[in-house]
Amino acid sequence: MKLPIAVVVLAAGAGTRMKSALPKVLHPLAGWPMVRHVLDNARRLKPARIVGVVAPGASDVAAAFAPHAPWSSASARHRPRDQAALAALEGHRGPVLVVYADAPLITTATLQRLVEACRKAHAAVGVLGLWRAIRRPTAG
């Protein structure tokens, strides 16, 4: 029997590099906020839960999760974000995928491969994100 999956979408960043009053995950991409693309791809996996981790006071970001009921948002107000996500997942049995809300180009197929890899390895958590290397020009 396959255990159900859950998806945690991290959307608590300040997005200060965007230099915009609009939170980064709400910036439109192809007519929809970035976070909606991520949620749509996650929803296609038919997870038992999708949990959004949002920053305190980010009601506009939390509202972006609302149409995806029965999903819930966990505020990172009084504890670290990872603890907020764990609290929202209490009682869940099965793999948990962790994705970033500002990664709209990660496809459902990629997420499905991560689910399969978690199941094969009996891993409790699979994290999928992007890493940005900072390269400094060399003198010369």
Side-chain angles (χ1 to χ4, degrees):
M1 176 175 90
K2 289 185 180 179
L3 293 172
I5 64 165
V7 179
V8 174
V9 180
L10 302 178
T16 54
R17 289 187 303 259
M18 295 293 288
K19 307 247 187 273
S20 171
L22 185 67
K24 176 169 57 171
V25 300
L26 297 181
H27 275 266
L29 178 67
W32 299 104
M34 260 191 255
V35 67
R36 178 165 176 182
H37 295 281
V38 174
L39 291 169
D40 285 348
N41 285 330
R43 186 178 39 80
R44 288 184 192 107
L45 296 173
K46 297 183 173 45
R49 299 181 198 178
I50 292 180
V51 177
V53 178
V54 300
S59 57
D60 46 355
V61 175
F65 287 90
H68 298 274
W71 296 251
S72 60
S73 296
S75 174
R77 182 181 307 269
H78 296 296
R79 50 191 164 179
R81 292 177 202 138
D82 57 344
Q83 290 180 357
L86 287 174
L89 290 168
E90 190 170 334
H92 176 76
R93 300 281 184 246
V96 176
L97 304 187
V98 179
V99 298
Y100 293 101
D102 64 351
L105 300 180
I106 294 175
T107 65
T108 303
T110 298
L111 294 175
Q112 185 60 52
R113 285 193 299 273
L114 182 58
V115 169
E116 291 164 7
C118 285
R119 286 184 171 144
K120 183 177 180 181
H122 304 287
V125 178
V127 180
L128 186 60
L130 305 173
W131 180 73
R132 182 177 152 242
I134 299 173
R135 297 179 190 231
R136 300 181 192 276
T138 56

PDB file of all heavy atoms in Angstrom, residues 21-35:
ATOM      1  N   ALA A  21       6.820  46.219  -3.735  1.00  0.00           N
ATOM      2  CA  ALA A  21       5.918  46.049  -2.594  1.00  0.00           C
ATOM      3  C   ALA A  21       5.149  44.736  -2.704  1.00  0.00           C
ATOM      4  O   ALA A  21       4.684  44.204  -1.700  1.00  0.00           O
ATOM      5  CB  ALA A  21       4.950  47.226  -2.522  1.00  0.00           C
ATOM      6  N   LEU A  22       5.024  44.214  -3.919  1.00  0.00           N
ATOM      7  CA  LEU A  22       4.332  42.952  -4.139  1.00  0.00           C
ATOM      8  C   LEU A  22       5.257  41.795  -3.766  1.00  0.00           C
ATOM      9  O   LEU A  22       6.396  41.731  -4.234  1.00  0.00           O
ATOM     10  CB  LEU A  22       3.930  42.827  -5.610  1.00  0.00           C
ATOM     11  CG  LEU A  22       3.085  41.619  -6.007  1.00  0.00           C
ATOM     12  CD1 LEU A  22       1.709  41.714  -5.363  1.00  0.00           C
ATOM     13  CD2 LEU A  22       2.951  41.560  -7.530  1.00  0.00           C
ATOM     14  N   PRO A  23       4.810  40.878  -2.889  1.00  0.00           N
ATOM     15  CA  PRO A  23       5.665  39.737  -2.545  1.00  0.00           C
ATOM     16  C   PRO A  23       6.080  38.956  -3.796  1.00  0.00           C
ATOM     17  O   PRO A  23       5.295  38.806  -4.731  1.00  0.00           O
ATOM     18  CB  PRO A  23       4.756  38.873  -1.651  1.00  0.00           C
ATOM     19  CG  PRO A  23       3.783  39.841  -1.067  1.00  0.00           C
ATOM     20  CD  PRO A  23       3.532  40.848  -2.158  1.00  0.00           C
ATOM     21  N   LYS A  24       7.310  38.473  -3.780  1.00  0.00           N
ATOM     22  CA  LYS A  24       7.866  37.795  -4.956  1.00  0.00           C
ATOM     23  C   LYS A  24       6.961  36.691  -5.474  1.00  0.00           C
ATOM     24  O   LYS A  24       6.734  36.569  -6.674  1.00  0.00           O
ATOM     25  CB  LYS A  24       9.250  37.234  -4.631  1.00  0.00           C
ATOM     26  CG  LYS A  24       9.846  36.442  -5.775  1.00  0.00           C
ATOM     27  CD  LYS A  24      11.303  36.096  -5.600  1.00  0.00           C
ATOM     28  CE  LYS A  24      11.618  35.338  -4.372  1.00  0.00           C
ATOM     29  NZ  LYS A  24      13.012  34.845  -4.355  1.00  0.00           N
ATOM     30  N   VAL A  25       6.407  35.872  -4.590  1.00  0.00           N
ATOM     31  CA  VAL A  25       5.615  34.730  -5.037  1.00  0.00           C
ATOM     32  C   VAL A  25       4.283  35.140  -5.656  1.00  0.00           C
ATOM     33  O   VAL A  25       3.602  34.317  -6.259  1.00  0.00           O
ATOM     34  CB  VAL A  25       5.387  33.714  -3.902  1.00  0.00           C
ATOM     35  CG1 VAL A  25       6.722  33.197  -3.391  1.00  0.00           C
ATOM     36  CG2 VAL A  25       4.551  34.293  -2.782  1.00  0.00           C
ATOM     37  N   LEU A  26       3.908  36.416  -5.521  1.00  0.00           N
ATOM     38  CA  LEU A  26       2.666  36.906  -6.119  1.00  0.00           C
ATOM     39  C   LEU A  26       2.892  37.620  -7.448  1.00  0.00           C
ATOM     40  O   LEU A  26       1.933  38.018  -8.110  1.00  0.00           O
ATOM     41  CB  LEU A  26       1.927  37.833  -5.142  1.00  0.00           C
ATOM     42  CG  LEU A  26       1.460  37.169  -3.853  1.00  0.00           C
ATOM     43  CD1 LEU A  26       0.722  38.177  -2.978  1.00  0.00           C
ATOM     44  CD2 LEU A  26       0.579  35.955  -4.131  1.00  0.00           C
ATOM     45  N   HIS A  27       4.154  37.776  -7.847  1.00  0.00           N
ATOM     46  CA  HIS A  27       4.429  38.384  -9.150  1.00  0.00           C
ATOM     47  C   HIS A  27       3.861  37.490 -10.249  1.00  0.00           C
ATOM     48  O   HIS A  27       3.993  36.264 -10.185  1.00  0.00           O
ATOM     49  CB  HIS A  27       5.935  38.591  -9.349  1.00  0.00           C
ATOM     50  CG  HIS A  27       6.416  39.862  -8.746  1.00  0.00           C
ATOM     51  ND1 HIS A  27       6.515  41.028  -9.452  1.00  0.00           N
ATOM     52  CD2 HIS A  27       6.778  40.152  -7.477  1.00  0.00           C
ATOM     53  CE1 HIS A  27       6.943  41.991  -8.658  1.00  0.00           C
ATOM     54  NE2 HIS A  27       7.100  41.484  -7.449  1.00  0.00           N
ATOM     55  N   PRO A  28       3.214  38.094 -11.228  1.00  0.00           N
ATOM     56  CA  PRO A  28       2.578  37.284 -12.282  1.00  0.00           C
ATOM     57  C   PRO A  28       3.590  36.657 -13.238  1.00  0.00           C
ATOM     58  O   PRO A  28       4.602  37.253 -13.574  1.00  0.00           O
ATOM     59  CB  PRO A  28       1.681  38.274 -13.005  1.00  0.00           C
ATOM     60  CG  PRO A  28       2.243  39.616 -12.712  1.00  0.00           C
ATOM     61  CD  PRO A  28       2.953  39.519 -11.394  1.00  0.00           C
ATOM     62  N   LEU A  29       3.261  35.455 -13.630  1.00  0.00           N
ATOM     63  CA  LEU A  29       4.024  34.721 -14.631  1.00  0.00           C
ATOM     64  C   LEU A  29       2.999  34.009 -15.506  1.00  0.00           C
ATOM     65  O   LEU A  29       2.211  33.215 -14.996  1.00  0.00           O
ATOM     66  CB  LEU A  29       4.962  33.712 -13.957  1.00  0.00           C
ATOM     67  CG  LEU A  29       5.795  32.846 -14.884  1.00  0.00           C
ATOM     68  CD1 LEU A  29       6.816  33.701 -15.626  1.00  0.00           C
ATOM     69  CD2 LEU A  29       6.496  31.763 -14.105  1.00  0.00           C
ATOM     70  N   ALA A  30       2.956  34.357 -16.777  1.00  0.00           N
ATOM     71  CA  ALA A  30       1.979  33.789 -17.709  1.00  0.00           C
ATOM     72  C   ALA A  30       0.546  34.003 -17.202  1.00  0.00           C
ATOM     73  O   ALA A  30      -0.294  33.121 -17.291  1.00  0.00           O
ATOM     74  CB  ALA A  30       2.259  32.315 -17.969  1.00  0.00           C
ATOM     75  N   GLY A  31       0.303  35.180 -16.625  1.00  0.00           N
ATOM     76  CA  GLY A  31      -1.048  35.544 -16.218  1.00  0.00           C
ATOM     77  C   GLY A  31      -1.466  35.118 -14.825  1.00  0.00           C
ATOM     78  O   GLY A  31      -2.562  35.455 -14.382  1.00  0.00           O
ATOM     79  N   TRP A  32      -0.631  34.378 -14.107  1.00  0.00           N
ATOM     80  CA  TRP A  32      -0.974  33.909 -12.764  1.00  0.00           C
ATOM     81  C   TRP A  32       0.186  34.193 -11.815  1.00  0.00           C
ATOM     82  O   TRP A  32       1.342  34.210 -12.240  1.00  0.00           O
ATOM     83  CB  TRP A  32      -1.239  32.409 -12.758  1.00  0.00           C
ATOM     84  CG  TRP A  32      -2.377  32.009 -13.627  1.00  0.00           C
ATOM     85  CD1 TRP A  32      -2.296  31.418 -14.856  1.00  0.00           C
ATOM     86  CD2 TRP A  32      -3.768  32.195 -13.375  1.00  0.00           C
ATOM     87  NE1 TRP A  32      -3.550  31.221 -15.361  1.00  0.00           N
ATOM     88  CE2 TRP A  32      -4.476  31.681 -14.475  1.00  0.00           C
ATOM     89  CE3 TRP A  32      -4.488  32.747 -12.316  1.00  0.00           C
ATOM     90  CZ2 TRP A  32      -5.851  31.710 -14.542  1.00  0.00           C
ATOM     91  CZ3 TRP A  32      -5.861  32.765 -12.390  1.00  0.00           C
ATOM     92  CH2 TRP A  32      -6.530  32.246 -13.489  1.00  0.00           C
ATOM     93  N   PRO A  33      -0.110  34.347 -10.515  1.00  0.00           N
ATOM     94  CA  PRO A  33       0.985  34.514  -9.550  1.00  0.00           C
ATOM     95  C   PRO A  33       1.886  33.271  -9.549  1.00  0.00           C
ATOM     96  O   PRO A  33       1.411  32.156  -9.762  1.00  0.00           O
ATOM     97  CB  PRO A  33       0.265  34.639  -8.205  1.00  0.00           C
ATOM     98  CG  PRO A  33      -1.131  34.994  -8.522  1.00  0.00           C
ATOM     99  CD  PRO A  33      -1.424  34.421  -9.884  1.00  0.00           C
ATOM    100  N   MET A  34       3.175  33.492  -9.340  1.00  0.00           N
ATOM    101  CA  MET A  34       4.138  32.387  -9.317  1.00  0.00           C
ATOM    102  C   MET A  34       3.672  31.236  -8.442  1.00  0.00           C
ATOM    103  O   MET A  34       3.749  30.071  -8.831  1.00  0.00           O
ATOM    104  CB  MET A  34       5.481  32.881  -8.762  1.00  0.00           C
ATOM    105  CG  MET A  34       6.501  33.172  -9.785  1.00  0.00           C
ATOM    106  SD  MET A  34       8.095  33.423  -8.970  1.00  0.00           S
ATOM    107  CE  MET A  34       8.220  35.181  -9.095  1.00  0.00           C
ATOM    108  N   VAL A  35       3.185  31.564  -7.251  1.00  0.00           N
ATOM    109  CA  VAL A  35       2.788  30.526  -6.301  1.00  0.00           C
ATOM    110  C   VAL A  35       1.646  29.671  -6.845  1.00  0.00           C
ATOM    111  O   VAL A  35       1.569  28.480  -6.545  1.00  0.00           O
ATOM    112  CB  VAL A  35       2.433  31.129  -4.918  1.00  0.00           C
ATOM    113  CG1 VAL A  35       1.186  31.984  -4.978  1.00  0.00           C
ATOM    114  CG2 VAL A  35       2.302  30.036  -3.873  1.00  0.00           C
TER     115      VAL A  35
END
